[in-house]
Amino acid sequence: MFFASPLKAFNTFDTDLRRNLLILFAAGLLFWSSTAAFLPTLPLYIQDVGGSKQEIGIVMGGFAIGLLLFRPMLGKLADKRGRKLVLLIGTAVAAIAPFGYLVFTSIPLLFWLRIFHGISIAAFTTGYTALVADLAPVAIRGEIISYMSLTAPIGLAVGPAIGGYLQETSGYSRLFLFTATIAFIGLLCASQVINPPLNSQHQSEHQNSNFWQILASPRVRVPALVMLLVGTSVGAVHIFVSLFIKSTEVSFNGGWFFTVSAISSFTIRVFAGRASDRFGRGLFITFGIAAYTLACVLLWQANNTNAFLISAIAEGCGGGTMISMITTMMADRSLPQERGQIFAICMAGFDLGIAIAAPIFGYVSEFVGYRNMFAYSATLTFLALLIFLTLSNKNLSNSLRFALGRGEDAFSLNNIN
């Protein structure tokens, strides 16, 4: 059932396009499996080498600092030198970084290593998303982007489960070697991608804009702010949920939280992308932000296995709709020649949120505990929901209609793209 619609869409493509998308999908699956294996295990590793709650937050936040510092320049590189180059950079860093965890045990060195590791997602996701958006036919762009984005939830389902298992049964060394190996295989896949030339027929007045000019544009500013607020909340969940579950003494492996979340994300993406081509992106972005809010509220109140499972499902629904649909919305709002930069700048909001979440919520948890910390994260996502409902388009009326699926996106460039 799940794969019938994707296969139908892919069978309409020519051989070269289908091959490109399948290679990209394989590279993405391997990349995300490698990256996700660290979610439930690295906070425990930092704790085992002597890190405090705040130091765990600081080290984990280094990943987002690497994202934030390098994504804008990698976005520009993707527009100027092609998407494949940044794909290769991302997978190469993902293959190299795990060896550093084998060697370093001091908190300062782990922090710098984590910054380096953050370059992997900055590069890979920018190149991957821009290339998929370039290749996807406009009429079914939401459907194709959603199908291709399934690599993240599948990887997030497989990676944490295997990572948690290896950490518990074989130790950290085999875990780190596993992540390096599958990332290297992903690098081999990425090297086979054919990077089509960008269509330079249309010129954009924004094409030569710098970072701040693009960010100030109303088509980018509000989505970036929404991503900042949601990213801060998501960072709190991803970094501290395993430690919170452990502190409650509930018999529930933190890795399974990410696995259930990923399965939920996978399931909803199969349907949401295709539906967004018909009903618009705004409705599904609204739903996704609301789901994130619900997930944080549930974590705030969680005290048994079922509560953690339901929260994980809500978390997956948020990620499966909001992030992929904002990505698709930004593809609608950009031309190919600027798409890498637009994606990079919008996602930089998410990166910054994760970067500040780690030290801020690490500090907050020292005083109010992990449980009450999630009440603060729910407040941030609720604020993001209000901003999107009222400011996502050219005025309040248009914003409400777009966010509720009752109107079109006034910033969409589909008529010339």
Side-chain angles (χ1 to χ4, degrees), residues 79-390:
D79 287 335
K80 289 187 175 182
R81 299 288 301 276
R83 322 306 193 194
K84 182 175 180 177
L85 176 60
V86 291
L87 279 174
L88 294 175
I89 292 172
T91 48
V93 172
I96 294 169
F99 291 102
Y101 298 111
L102 283 171
V103 177
F104 303 135
T105 57
S106 75
I107 299 301
L109 289 177
L110 287 172
F111 173 71
W112 288 108
L113 175 63
R114 198 66 179 151
I115 291 176
F116 171 72
H117 202 173
I119 298 173
S120 63
I121 285 190
F124 187 87
T125 56
T126 299
Y128 184 93
T129 307
L131 183 53
V132 171
D134 292 344
L135 295 171
V138 172
I140 55 171
R141 176 178 283 157
E143 182 178 6
I144 296 304
I145 288 179
S146 286
Y147 294 157
M148 293 299 292
S149 72
L150 288 173
T151 57
I154 296 174
L156 286 166
V158 173
I162 297 178
Y165 174 78
L166 288 174
Q167 182 266 327
E168 289 182 355
T169 61
S170 304
Y172 292 108
S173 295
R174 289 196 177 182
L175 165 66
F176 298 146
L177 289 174
F178 165 76
T179 58
T181 300
I182 60 175
F184 178 74
I185 299 173
L187 174 62
L188 296 179
C189 291
S191 68
Q192 301 303 307
V193 170
I194 299 173
N195 198 150
L198 293 177
N199 181 4
S200 59
Q201 180 178 355
H202 299 297
Q203 297 298 319
S204 169
E205 62 188 72
H206 305 283
Q207 188 174 345
N208 296 316
S209 300
N210 61 33
F211 176 92
W212 297 110
Q213 289 174 321
I214 295 175
L215 181 59
S217 169
R219 62 180 174 150
V220 178
R221 182 176 62 246
V222 171
L225 177 58
V226 168
M227 293 292 270
L228 168 63
L229 293 169
V230 173
T232 307
S233 177
V234 170
V237 174
H238 284 194
I239 294 168
F240 295 107
V241 71
S242 295
L243 296 169
F244 172 51
I245 293 171
K246 185 177 180 180
S247 72
T248 63
E249 299 183 353
V250 174
S251 180
F252 185 69
N253 189 306
W256 286 109
F257 179 92
F258 295 102
T259 298
V260 172
S261 175
I263 292 171
S264 171
S265 178
F266 170 90
T267 303
I268 202 164
R269 284 174 200 243
V270 171
F271 304 105
R274 187 175 186 181
S276 77
D277 289 326
R278 180 178 178 183
F279 299 108
R281 323 303 184 195
L283 178 63
F284 296 92
I285 295 172
T286 299
F287 171 81
I289 303 172
Y292 271 132
T293 304
L294 176 61
C296 292
V297 170
L298 289 170
L299 281 176
W300 176 32
Q301 299 295 320
N303 55 17
N304 56 58
T305 298
N306 288 338
F308 286 118
L309 285 173
I310 296 171
S311 176
I313 292 171
E315 176 82 6
C317 287
T321 50
M322 194 212 78
I323 296 176
S324 62
M325 287 301 100
I326 282 189
T327 298
T328 308
M329 182 179 72
M330 300 318 295
D332 294 339
R333 295 181 175 190
S334 60
L335 294 173
Q337 304 94 314
E338 60 179 359
R339 192 161 285 152
Q341 293 182 79
I342 294 291
F343 284 157
I345 291 171
C346 186
M347 288 303 298
F350 195 77
D351 302 340
L352 178 59
I354 294 177
I356 63 177
I360 289 176
F361 282 111
Y363 181 78
V364 168
S365 67
E366 293 278 3
F367 293 93
V368 302
Y370 292 127
R371 179 180 301 279
N372 291 327
M373 179 190 72
F374 292 116
Y376 291 96
S377 65
T379 302
L380 291 179
T381 53
F382 183 71
L383 177 59
L385 179 61
L386 293 179
I387 290 172
F388 187 75
L389 285 169
T390 57

Side-chain angles (χ1 to χ4, degrees), residues 24-34 124 128 150-152 154-155 158:
L24 271 174
F25 193 91
L29 183 59
L30 291 163
F31 173 83
W32 281 111
S33 297
S34 172
F124 187 87
Y128 184 93
L150 288 173
T151 57
I154 296 174
V158 173

Side-chain angles (χ1 to χ4, degrees), residues 32-56:
W32 281 111
S33 297
S34 172
T35 302
F38 289 96
L39 288 174
T41 56
L42 194 56
L44 299 176
Y45 175 70
I46 300 167
Q47 185 179 65
D48 287 346
V49 298
S52 66
K53 290 180 179 179
Q54 191 169 3
E55 287 173 332
I56 291 170

